Amino acid sequence: MFNSKSFLSLPKIYHNMAPKSKDASTEEKIKEAARIVFTQKGYSATRTRDIAEEAGINLALLNYYFRSKEKLFELVMAEKVAKLFGVIAPIVNNDKTSLEEKVALIVEAYIEMLSQNPGLPLFVLSEIRNNPEHFGNRMQAGKLLTDSYLVKQLKEKKPDIHPLHFIVNVLSMSIFPFIAKPVFESAGVMTSEQLDNFAEERKTLIVQWFKAMINS
Amino acid sequence: MFNSKSFLSLPKIYHNMAPKSKDASTEEKIKEAARIVFTQKGYSATRTRDIAEEAGINLALLNYYFRSKEKLFELVMAEKVAKLFGVIAPIVNNDKTSLEEKVALIVEAYIEMLSQNPGLPLFVLSEIRNNPEHFGNRMQAGKLLTDSYLVKQLKEKKPDIHPLHFIVNVLSMSIFPFIAKPVFESAGVMTSEQLDNFAEERKTLIVQWFKAMINS
DNA sequence: AATATTTTTAATCATTTGATTAAATCTTTT
DNA sequence: AAAAGATTTAATCAAATGATTAAAAATATT
């Protein structure tokens, strides 16, 4: 145990650091390249050489800074998961906002964020599909929703319909257009710019539709 | 030109064929294994050895019957795309059915089919993302929707809102739960069985909600 | 300036992976 | 039954790929 291979040298931090980024630190350049390539192609289709090229660095530097493709991926993935689910988390448990206010906030926040990160949902969802065990969030992220104030409000308004139906409706109507983006473009239904506009329109429309649904 | 390598022997068909399948032909066993593994892991994460193992055959047989991983994939992918988009195609251009009838038919058909093939949308969408050029459907599948009788009906009912909004609503509410399935399971929101029930409930609910939306 | 430390590079390794080959086995035709 | 043709197998290949190494270059410390 404790053979020499366990102690590969890692990048050390200088106490008197140079102005960190004249043009972004190597570490950050690699991370940013990894974000781009992983999100675009997924873990398996991504070659470490793709990331190195995108970052404009020598391949060995990737392993010098991040040890392995998998470690780098986990870093990026954690960020992306946080980004995707971080949108909804702070909204659903606010007991000061009404049901409709919450819906408006969720729709606005998701569409705004996804307009900047259209590939995010398809990336996160397909990677979780590829490796569900690894995201053993069991009973954590789930309960956050299930036991939320939002669910309580939905139950009060519509006791006969499971509250998850309405949550799924709002999320699906907000997120699905971005998931379908590759098809829209490939099939000539919409260009990327048209989707931006389409999504923008939906910010107010989905809130109206939700009201119609919940009052029907 | 025409060197011997161009003429790899391909499986020939006997004129007097043996009762083709005592237990499914080798070709079909491989195709079925490919359906399972490709759909579960995507093209890049799938090893031809995975497919061979799943099919219970020697690896070389895969190339004997299908020439290459890519050829086999294209076969499976074409099937899956046809399955995913074939659901909607025969419904949207029927000028005998009302708007609400069409919606009911689309919702019923999608939820029924996806209950049997829950991994289908995430698979097709992420593979199209990975390789959009290859699905250069430009102006074919797109126009089918854009110029459909369904679009005409939606325009008449709601001239001020782009008809695609309503189509996206119906499709998203029907399909999204299956796309999110890996997350639901991983986060402990729903089991696979609960999702089946949840989706079944939505068959009638989405139609009601659509009515509420279109009349709001 | 001299030394030590960190960062970067080019070359190389070991493994994985899609594919091929040649021989063996099985099936059909004659 | 013999010959011809099709299917299957084990062994192997070549390329791709994640990772490592040793030396060079750059930067910090003394």
Side-chain angles (χ1 to χ4, degrees):
Chain A
M1 61 234 41
F2 292 126
N3 64 31
S4 63
K5 287 212 170 183
S6 302
F7 289 100
L8 299 172
S9 68
L10 275 182
K12 299 289 167 49
I13 284 127
Y14 290 116
H15 291 296
N16 295 353
M17 287 237 278
K20 190 67 187 186
S21 46
K22 176 192 290 176
D23 51 349
S25 73
T26 302
E27 191 172 335
E28 187 49 42
K29 273 198 299 187
I30 297 171
K31 226 196 253 179
E32 180 58 17
R35 286 186 195 103
I36 292 168
V37 182
F38 276 138
T39 307
Q40 202 158 71
K41 328 211 312 183
Y43 178 79
S44 285
T46 295
R47 316 284 155 232
T48 52
R49 282 161 176 83
D50 300 339
I51 297 175
E53 190 183 12
E54 175 77 29
I57 52 117
N58 184 293
L59 170 61
L61 274 181
L62 188 150
N63 294 288
Y64 177 69
Y65 279 99
F66 298 97
R67 283 296 179 75
S68 71
K69 179 189 179 186
E70 203 180 338
K71 288 248 175 43
L72 177 54
F73 175 76
E74 276 165 19
L75 225 66
V76 170
M77 188 64 181
E79 271 185 25
K80 297 294 182 184
V81 168
K83 193 165 215 160
L84 187 58
F85 297 107
V87 166
I88 198 175
I91 299 174
V92 295
N93 262 315
N94 189 333
D95 58 1
K96 304 289 187 298
T97 53
S98 71
L99 182 52
E100 288 174 10
E101 282 169 340
K102 283 195 182 65
V103 169
L105 286 169
I106 291 171
V107 171
E108 162 74 25
Y110 260 119
I111 292 182
E112 191 61 31
M113 188 273 283
L114 294 179
S115 293
Q116 301 303 313
N117 306 273
L120 181 55
L122 197 46
F123 168 69
V124 171
L125 293 172
S126 57
E127 293 302 334
I128 290 181
R129 172 203 62 175
N130 287 356
N131 217 335
E133 326 81 53
H134 195 282
F135 298 87
N137 246 338
R138 303 237 171 281
M139 313 288 123
Q140 192 105 30
K143 288 248 161 152
L144 197 81
L145 246 195
T146 310
D147 304 348
S148 70
Y149 196 76
L150 171 59
V151 164
K152 191 170 157 250
Q153 288 172 308
L154 285 165
K155 273 184 190 157
E156 271 167 26
K157 191 77 195 277
K158 278 271 166 191
D160 48 332
I161 299 182
H162 195 298
L164 212 46
H165 279 299
F166 294 104
I167 295 176
V168 165
N169 289 351
V170 169
L171 293 182
S172 67
M173 289 194 292
S174 303
I175 299 174
F176 185 84
F178 297 96
I179 295 178
K181 180 180 175 170
V183 174
F184 286 162
E185 291 173 358
S186 186
V189 175
M190 280 191 206
T191 66
S192 188
E193 294 72 34
Q194 287 171 326
L195 176 61
D196 284 345
N197 188 55
F198 184 78
E200 187 65 30
E201 285 177 11
R202 292 176 75 80
K203 281 186 186 171
T204 56
L205 286 172
I206 293 172
V207 178
Q208 289 173 227
W209 291 326
F210 172 78
K211 288 178 191 169
M213 284 168 36
I214 201 91
N215 292 319
S216 74
Chain B
M1 63 238 32
F2 292 128
N3 65 31
S4 62
K5 287 211 170 183
S6 303
F7 288 101
L8 298 172
S9 68
L10 275 182
K12 298 289 166 47
I13 285 128
Y14 290 114
H15 291 297
N16 296 351
M17 287 239 277
K20 190 65 187 187
S21 46
K22 176 190 289 174
D23 50 349
S25 73
T26 302
E27 191 172 335
E28 187 50 42
K29 273 198 297 187
I30 296 172
K31 225 195 255 180
E32 180 58 18
R35 286 186 195 103
I36 292 168
V37 182
F38 276 138
T39 308
Q40 202 157 72
K41 326 211 312 182
Y43 178 80
S44 285
T46 295
R47 316 285 155 232
T48 53
R49 283 161 176 83
D50 300 339
I51 297 175
E53 190 184 13
E54 176 77 28
I57 53 116
N58 185 292
L59 170 61
L61 275 181
L62 187 151
N63 294 288
Y64 177 69
Y65 279 99
F66 298 97
R67 281 296 179 76
S68 71
K69 178 189 179 187
E70 203 180 338
K71 287 251 177 36
L72 177 54
F73 175 76
E74 275 165 18
L75 225 67
V76 170
M77 188 63 182
E79 272 185 24
K80 298 294 181 183
V81 168
K83 193 164 216 160
L84 187 59
F85 297 108
V87 166
I88 198 175
I91 299 173
V92 296
N93 262 315
N94 189 333
D95 58 1
K96 304 290 186 299
T97 53
S98 70
L99 182 52
E100 288 174 8
E101 283 168 340
K102 283 194 183 62
V103 169
L105 287 170
I106 292 171
V107 170
E108 162 75 24
Y110 261 119
I111 292 184
E112 191 60 31
M113 187 272 284
L114 293 180
S115 293
Q116 301 303 313
N117 306 274
L120 181 55
L122 197 45
F123 168 68
V124 171
L125 293 172
S126 58
E127 293 302 334
I128 290 180
R129 172 203 61 175
N130 287 354
N131 218 333
E133 327 79 54
H134 195 283
F135 298 86
N137 246 337
R138 303 237 172 283
M139 311 290 122
Q140 192 106 30
K143 288 246 161 155
L144 198 82
L145 246 195
T146 311
D147 304 349
S148 71
Y149 196 76
L150 171 58
V151 164
K152 190 170 158 250
Q153 287 172 308
L154 285 166
K155 273 184 190 157
E156 271 167 27
K157 191 76 195 278
K158 279 269 164 192
D160 47 332
I161 299 184
H162 196 297
L164 212 46
H165 279 297
F166 294 104
I167 295 175
V168 165
N169 290 351
V170 170
L171 294 182
S172 67
M173 289 194 292
S174 303
I175 299 174
F176 185 85
F178 297 96
I179 295 177
K181 179 179 174 168
V183 175
F184 286 162
E185 291 173 358
S186 185
V189 176
M190 280 190 206
T191 66
S192 188
E193 294 73 34
Q194 287 171 328
L195 176 62
D196 283 345
N197 188 56
F198 184 79
E200 188 66 30
E201 284 177 11
R202 292 176 76 80
K203 281 186 186 172
T204 56
L205 287 172
I206 293 172
V207 177
Q208 289 174 228
W209 291 325
F210 172 78
K211 289 179 191 171
M213 284 168 37
I214 201 89
N215 292 320
S216 75

